[in-house]
Amino acid sequence: MDIRTILLPFTSTPGDKAAMELAFVIANKYRSNVHGLHVRMDPRDIAPLAGEGLSGAMIEEMMESAEKEGMEHSSAARRMFDEYCKSKGIPFVEEPPGPGGVSASWHTEIGREEDVVSWHGRLHDIIVISRPAEGQEKSTTEVVHAALMDAGRPLMLAPPEAPSDIGKRVAVAWNGSREAAKSIAAARPILMQADEVYILTAEEGYSHGPGAADVARYLSWYDVRPELRQFGGSSPQDIGGSLLSKLNELGADMLVMGAYTHSRLRHLILGGVTSHVVSNAMMPVFMHR
């Protein structure tokens, strides 16, 4: 598959700039359209959250404040997007197929952010979003989870600093799961253009399913010749840390992995490899579920 359309949700966090830069790095490689999206909360949703004991006037004031803040965030996001596109000479397009190269489009919508991002994500080839940072609002993490769980499309998490290029040395975390297989299939355009591809498997925590050699055999049909490597670790945190250490050792510039191969409830209670990687990866992470 080609990567023709990229959804770029702006979450009004410091990571938006890196996510935007990463989205256009991808767009330049695959001649894609980057569709910027900012979702403003409906001020009417404030009322059910306000709680008891507040007067109508107080709730009205909260709604007005939320609307003003949403407008400010939306304007700031659009300004950042416009200024970047102008500085790079990237044209805006209203209708496909556009100019046949990298292009941009934009819209703002009112609603629940996690719902709107998931809905629009279903009709884009990939969603690029900033990695939730420690201490960020819970809502940011919920948007990432919603995109993973509900959009049905691959997600690229941007690290705090966007790289100038990706896809030259790509690592694939393989555990035999359905989610890992979907990630590999979705990342095939990237793997086919990579200079080097590594299939990484943990010594512990392997799911039932095909082995790394089977993955290599599958990818050989697409002229991809990966190297097979193992890394250590027993607990999810150990496996996640060892995986990131192996990526640094190999000089990988991107990780492809399945997301939440166990239930999300188990991850919330016990932690997991996905959670560790999402919180700590310093390179773009391509995930599917």
Side-chain angles (χ1 to χ4, degrees):
M1 82 175 204
D2 292 330
I3 300 176
R4 297 291 181 87
T5 59
I6 299 170
L7 180 65
L8 174 65
F10 281 78
T11 58
S12 300
T13 62
D16 281 346
K17 182 175 183 292
M20 178 182 67
E21 292 172 349
L22 176 60
F24 279 107
V25 167
I26 299 168
N28 277 299
K29 288 179 73 75
Y30 301 100
R31 303 169 65 83
S32 315
N33 174 264
V34 177
H35 185 70
L37 168 67
H38 186 268
V39 183
R40 299 203 327 263
M41 182 179 184
D42 189 335
R44 292 171 296 182
D45 291 338
I46 291 289
L49 302 176
E52 298 180 3
L54 295 180
S55 67
M58 293 172 68
I59 293 175
E60 184 71 24
E61 184 179 347
M62 291 175 63
M63 291 173 60
E64 290 177 0
S65 177
E67 183 171 21
K68 179 181 178 182
E69 183 180 18
M71 291 289 290
E72 290 172 351
H73 286 317
S74 183
S75 296
R78 181 65 196 265
R79 186 164 55 250
M80 180 191 300
F81 192 70
D82 286 352
E83 288 175 355
Y84 182 90
C85 292
K86 183 178 180 181
S87 70
K88 303 294 183 181
I90 298 169
F92 276 75
V93 300
E94 297 297 331
E95 297 292 337
V102 60
S103 62
S105 54
W106 175 272
H107 90 280
T108 302
E109 193 163 325
I110 298 174
R112 293 182 69 247
E113 189 175 20
E114 53 266 41
D115 290 340
V116 175
V117 170
S118 297
W119 296 338
H120 285 281
R122 293 169 190 169
L123 295 179
H124 288 78
D125 294 323
I126 189 171
I127 305 166
V128 178
I129 194 167
S130 60
R131 185 190 83 186
E134 187 175 354
Q136 271 186 4
E137 293 183 12
K138 180 182 176 182
S139 60
T140 305
T141 303
E142 288 300 317
V143 172
V144 171
H145 286 156
L148 273 173
M149 301 294 181
D150 299 330
R153 296 291 184 166
L155 182 72
M156 183 84 84
L157 288 179
E161 295 291 333
S164 59
D165 196 8
I166 61 167
K168 291 185 178 296
R169 297 169 66 88
V170 182
V172 177
W174 177 253
N175 64 357
S177 67
R178 175 183 68 91
E179 293 82 3
K182 289 180 68 174
S183 295
I184 289 175
R188 213 164 46 223
I190 298 170
L191 298 175
M192 291 172 64
Q193 291 192 19
D195 295 333
E196 296 178 70
V197 175
Y198 301 94
I199 307 296
L200 309 182
T201 53
E203 296 168 0
E204 302 287 343
Y206 194 84
S207 299
H208 295 295
D214 299 311
V215 178
R217 188 176 301 110
Y218 163 72
L219 289 176
S220 70
W221 286 101
Y222 298 93
D223 294 322
V224 178
R225 301 287 188 267
E227 297 181 30
L228 310 185
R229 302 291 178 90
Q230 279 195 323
F231 58 94
S234 53
S235 69
Q237 291 80 6
D238 289 342
I239 292 174
S242 295
L243 172 59
L244 294 178
S245 294
K246 178 61 72 172
L247 296 174
N248 291 332
E249 176 188 319
L250 295 172
D253 61 21
M254 176 182 160
L255 172 65
V256 175
M257 67 180 295
Y260 298 111
T261 56
H262 299 290
S263 73
R264 189 182 167 202
L265 177 61
R266 174 174 168 177
H267 279 263
L268 290 172
I269 296 172
L270 301 177
V273 176
T274 304
S275 299
H276 185 86
V277 171
V278 166
S279 299
N280 296 281
M282 300 303 291
M283 66 189 64
V285 180
F286 182 105
M287 297 193 295
H288 206 343
R289 189 178 192 279

